[in-house]
Structure formats: C-alpha cells, structure tokens
Amino acid sequence: LTTYRRFMPTPPEQFYRVTDIVGDRKRGIPAIFPVSKSYWLKGVRAGKFPQPIRLSPGVVVWKGSDIDALIQRTIDAATPVEAAEPQS
C-alpha cells in the first residue's frame, strides 16, 4: 500500500471582490475602502484605482496587495508633511 504526503501549497495572495472592497450594508459587509460601488468602478476605469483580475466571465477580483497600496497612498496623501527643521 502506497501512502502519499499531501501537498500543501503556499497560500495564494488574498483577493477581494468589489463588495469586499466597498462593503454591502444589506449583507453586513464592512467597507475596506468606503466609497460607493459606482464611484469605485468609475475610478477603476479612469485608472485612479487598481485594475481588476478577471477569473471567469462572472468573477472579477482585486489583489489584496493592490488594495493595501491604495489605502497606504490615500493615508500618505492625507497626512500633513512636517517641516524638516523647526523654525526659530
């Protein structure tokens, strides 16, 4: 009798669907990036937000690393830059 060790691949990168990103109040899904679905999709078309990956005709996802980078850029843009040297 031959036994095989089960192969455990490295977990794939996290993917998000649009409702995971913008949330869905009816289903109780909190938003990661709180904008409306239509604003998100317009931003994707305009290049303001990350481009999706189409997994099948009805499934479109975004890479978690792209969403994390978008959130970090948004935080950086909103954070005031301190002066390099204090003025005397």
Side-chain angles (χ1 to χ4, degrees):
L1 187 67
T2 306
T3 57
Y4 296 97
R5 188 170 62 112
R6 175 175 263 177
F7 176 68
M8 300 299 285
T10 304
E13 180 172 7
Q14 177 75 39
F15 291 113
Y16 294 109
R17 300 205 48 190
V18 70
T19 53
D20 297 324
I21 298 167
V22 300
D24 186 341
R25 289 183 191 153
K26 291 180 182 176
R27 292 176 27 202
I29 300 171
I32 295 171
F33 197 80
V35 296
S36 70
K37 183 177 177 180
S38 61
Y39 184 81
W40 176 261
L41 296 174
K42 287 177 187 176
V44 169
R45 280 188 230 107
K48 183 176 181 179
F49 300 139
Q51 292 300 304
I53 299 168
R54 184 170 297 280
L55 297 179
S56 70
V59 179
V60 178
V61 297
W62 282 262
K63 293 188 334 184
S65 59
D66 290 346
I67 302 304
D68 292 343
L70 171 65
I71 292 168
Q72 189 59 51
R73 282 194 313 268
T74 304
I75 290 169
D76 292 345
T79 305
V81 178
E82 298 289 328
E85 293 181 29
Q87 296 181 4
S88 330

